[in-house]
Amino acid sequence: MNDVDLELSTKDSDTLDESGETDNFSEYRRGQFLQNLFTPNISTPIRFVRDHKRAFIAFIPVIVLAFLYFLRFAILSVNLLNHFGEPAFDMSIPDQGLWLLSRFHQPFVTIMGRNLFGDHSEFVLFILVPFYWIYPHGAVLLVAQALVIAAAAIPIYLLARHLLHSNTMATLLAAVYLLNPALQWGNMEQFHVESFEVLFVSIAIYAAVVWRPRLLMVAIVLLLLSNQDAAMYALPIGIWVAFRRERREGIKIVVLSMIAAVLINFLIIPLLLGSFNFGATKYSGRLPFGGVIGSVKEIIRYPGQAWAYMTSQGRPWYVWQMFASAGLIFVLAPEIALIAIIALGINVWTSFGYQHEIMYHYSLPIVPVLVCGTIWALSRMSRRRAAWLTGLIVLGALWSCVIWGLAPFSDQQYPTGLPSYQVTEVQDLINDIPSNAVVSAFYDYTTALDDRTQIYMWPNPFSTSYYGLPNQPGGVTLPVASQVQYVLLPQALGTDSPQVWTQIAPQFHVLAQNQTAVLYERNTTG
């Protein structure tokens, strides 16, 4: 018996199909103890534990690895939040939105001047509302983000064990996923619902390959509820299922993905925004040459110029970082890795620089797809070749994490936010602001003030900036400006709209200040 197959010891011999995979019944007997944990049908718990003892033992390392990842990045990100290092626009928006929902208010987020679900269709965030009843704090988002990213290691591990018949290789490949620098940097970039997509994509691929159609459909539905662009992952999964598993189920997923994309982007979001302005969708204005049609024309008419564009602004380096950290082996049998082709293609082609840098959340869901693609490619090889290639892949992942990642042994420094003494001084001023007051606060400070119905990111609402729909003019004073009771700004306002403060300063007086920040209160009349 192989030392990497401890939990797979059964009286039944493995039967292999033409592709080298075990039949469904044998695989169920050997590998599906996790599902049985949640739906046990046994006479005594003792017998269940005894029957699956070896499987439990073999599963411990991946649980430990996932927990260590979760612990590190939950602590790092919450610490960054507490040190005012998680800026407003991608942290306060979901935080205020969920706080409003938990208080049964309409989720109109005053940080950005839009409905929470009109910004992005993140309906899956309803899952977190009950936690805001208990602890209404942005830390809930960051802990949940680290948890779902870490949890994706489990379906990746199960997929590898199913295809490679080896607990050791499965554990190592789950570690490759957790070591990925794009995953770690994306985890530290405030909160983004793409973290949930990471988990749902991983589950969907696992369910598609081992063929658990019910689990697959649940994962696809949750994926489509995560974001308006999630169809670019769900649709390729449906195509793979149609060709590799069951045509009818694959077509269902394809159709569902297309319907969801059209309804969300061209009906639900415009309705929530109160305007059928399709320019408000996520990738609008980010595609070069006038959009999709212009890009296609550019590629056909001027391939040389298109290639020059594709190789500029660090795009090849971005592709290398994504591929190298996932093992590169997936190129030998790319059908699973191609599930990420739309998302990766958009990230590379877009003129929005953040999308082709591993430091931002746009790459998050691509990571598990490429790792699953690596697992699939390894499964097409002999066991001996797959084993030594897995070792090389792990070494490559460690190398990538050292030079690009945010592990304790990485060369990169993770952000730390404001020094502790400045945090204390800002927090002292925040404590002087009533919980129901209307506030306009500096960009970095809003994350500690957004659990209220009206909170604005300076210079809003006195002079609109990044507010409302994308086509609305900036520099407009909103009627609600007269309702603002407190303004919290740094001592050194610098270039952050000092002229706006000069215009409104006579309406306010200094309530409290220290070396870091100043709290202004509106003057009372008569």
Side-chain angles (χ1 to χ4, degrees):
M1 181 185 299
N2 193 306
D3 65 328
V4 295
D5 291 319
L6 293 178
E7 99 290 8
L8 304 182
S9 176
T10 65
K11 294 181 180 179
D12 300 317
S13 61
D14 296 342
T15 57
L16 303 181
D17 60 21
E18 294 179 355
S19 66
E21 298 175 12
T22 56
D23 66 276
N24 286 339
F25 178 75
S26 176
E27 183 60 23
Y28 175 81
R29 288 286 305 276
R30 302 189 313 162
Q32 298 305 312
F33 73 94
L34 280 182
Q35 286 84 337
N36 293 338
L37 277 174
F38 298 101
T39 57
N41 186 19
I42 56 176
S43 57
T44 65
I46 295 176
R47 181 189 302 172
F48 179 75
V49 172
R50 183 189 63 207
D51 291 346
H52 298 283
K53 179 180 178 181
R54 291 184 177 180
F56 275 113
I57 293 173
F59 193 65
I60 288 174
V62 72
I63 290 293
V64 171
L65 289 174
F67 178 74
L68 290 175
Y69 175 95
F70 161 72
L71 198 63
R72 174 169 177 79
F73 286 95
I75 291 173
L76 284 181
S77 55
V78 171
N79 183 67
L80 188 60
L81 173 67
N82 292 336
H83 281 73
F84 301 104
E86 299 282 15
F89 218 64
D90 287 329
M91 190 69 230
S92 290
I93 289 172
D95 190 28
Q96 188 192 17
L98 284 177
W99 183 86
L100 290 167
L101 287 171
S102 70
R103 270 54 187 172
F104 304 101
H105 295 306
Q106 179 184 357
F108 183 83
V109 178
T110 56
I111 290 290
M112 63 172 174
R114 302 187 210 174
N115 186 291
L116 174 64
F117 303 114
D119 181 47
H120 299 306
S121 60
E122 304 168 340
F123 298 110
V124 73
L125 292 184
F126 275 104
I127 295 172
L128 299 180
V129 169
F131 295 97
Y132 269 68
W133 298 337
I134 302 169
Y135 186 61
H137 194 281
V140 170
L141 290 166
L142 297 177
V143 170
Q145 178 166 262
L147 181 62
V148 294
I149 290 176
I154 295 175
I156 289 172
Y157 165 85
L158 292 174
L159 176 68
R161 190 178 63 177
H162 171 85
L163 291 176
L164 303 175
H165 318 301
S166 165
N167 278 315
T168 300
M169 291 171 66
T171 302
L172 290 173
L173 290 163
V176 168
Y177 160 76
L178 294 170
L179 287 167
N180 191 283
L183 196 75
Q184 296 171 4
W185 277 106
N187 200 150
M188 289 299 295
E189 193 213 350
Q190 297 94 52
F191 171 82
H192 294 93
V193 79
E194 281 81 357
S195 58
F196 281 79
E197 292 184 64
V198 169
L199 177 59
F200 300 146
V201 164
S202 303
I203 295 174
I205 293 175
Y206 163 74
V209 172
V210 305
W211 196 232
R212 299 288 181 264
R214 292 183 180 178
L215 179 61
L216 172 61
M217 289 306 299
V218 170
I220 290 295
V221 170
L222 289 172
L223 178 62
L224 293 172
L225 289 174
S226 298
N227 214 338
Q228 71 271 17
D229 62 3
M232 65 184 179
Y233 298 101
L235 191 145
I237 292 174
I239 294 173
W240 188 90
V241 169
F243 281 95
R244 274 288 194 171
R245 288 296 176 257
E246 186 174 304
R247 181 166 299 179
R248 180 178 297 178
E249 291 298 319
I251 292 173
K252 284 182 183 178
I253 294 172
V254 170
V255 172
L256 179 62
S257 302
M258 295 175 67
I259 291 174
V262 171
L263 286 179
I264 291 172
N265 285 287
F266 298 107
L267 180 61
I268 295 175
I269 287 180
L271 283 173
L272 290 173
L273 291 176
S275 170
F276 282 87
N277 177 357
F278 303 143
T281 57
K282 183 174 181 180
Y283 296 114
S284 61
R286 297 183 181 180
L287 293 179
F289 311 112
V292 175
I293 297 176
S295 295
V296 172
K297 290 180 178 179
E298 180 72 15
I299 294 171
I300 295 173
R301 294 178 181 177
Y302 310 105
Q305 293 182 20
W307 176 253
Y309 172 82
M310 284 280 287
T311 55
S312 65
Q313 298 180 358
R315 292 178 176 87
W317 177 245
Y318 166 73
V319 173
W320 164 249
Q321 287 181 300
M322 293 297 294
F323 283 16
S325 56
L328 287 173
I329 302 301
F330 58 81
V331 299
L332 301 178
E335 61 184 81
I336 294 295
L338 283 173
I339 289 171
I341 190 63
I342 300 175
L344 187 63
I346 290 175
N347 283 357
V348 171
W349 186 251
T350 180
S351 58
F352 189 62
Y354 287 3
Q355 285 185 240
H356 38 265
E357 293 186 32
I358 64 168
M359 297 177 64
Y360 300 96
H361 64 279
Y362 303 97
S363 299
L364 275 174
I366 298 174
V367 172
V369 178
L370 296 182
V371 174
C372 288
T374 295
I375 294 168
W376 177 267
L378 289 171
S379 72
R380 306 297 96 183
M381 305 173 184
S382 67
R383 175 167 293 200
R384 177 175 295 182
R385 178 176 294 180
W388 68 260
L389 280 177
T390 297
L392 292 178
I393 291 167
V394 173
L395 290 176
L398 282 169
W399 170 76
S400 298
C401 189
V402 167
I403 61 174
W404 300 325
L406 290 174
F409 50 80
S410 297
D411 295 337
Q412 301 292 323
Q413 296 291 321
Y414 59 85
T416 56
L418 295 179
S420 296
Y421 79 92
Q422 291 187 354
V423 170
T424 300
E425 291 186 340
V426 174
Q427 193 60 55
D428 287 343
L429 299 182
I430 289 174
N431 292 338
D432 291 336
I433 302 175
S435 60
N436 59 347
V438 181
V439 182
S440 178
F442 179 63
Y443 189 69
D444 290 346
Y445 305 159
T446 58
T447 51
L449 287 159
D450 55 32
D451 292 345
R452 61 187 68 231
T453 55
Q454 287 180 271
I455 169 70
Y456 299 91
M457 185 180 72
W458 175 263
N460 295 322
F462 305 103
S463 177
T464 53
S465 175
Y466 296 105
Y467 197 85
L469 296 178
N471 65 335
Q472 290 181 330
V476 176
T477 300
L478 301 177
V480 74
S482 61
Q483 300 177 23
V484 174
Q485 300 163 275
Y486 296 88
V487 177
L488 180 61
L489 299 174
Q491 279 283 4
L493 189 56
T495 59
D496 199 340
S497 304
Q499 72 282 0
V500 177
W501 175 247
T502 301
Q503 294 172 5
I504 67 170
Q507 304 174 33
F508 293 85
H509 64 273
V510 175
L511 179 64
Q513 64 178 316
N514 49 47
Q515 292 183 350
T516 303
V518 187
L519 177 61
Y520 301 94
E521 184 181 31
R522 183 175 289 275
N523 300 327
T524 56
T525 57

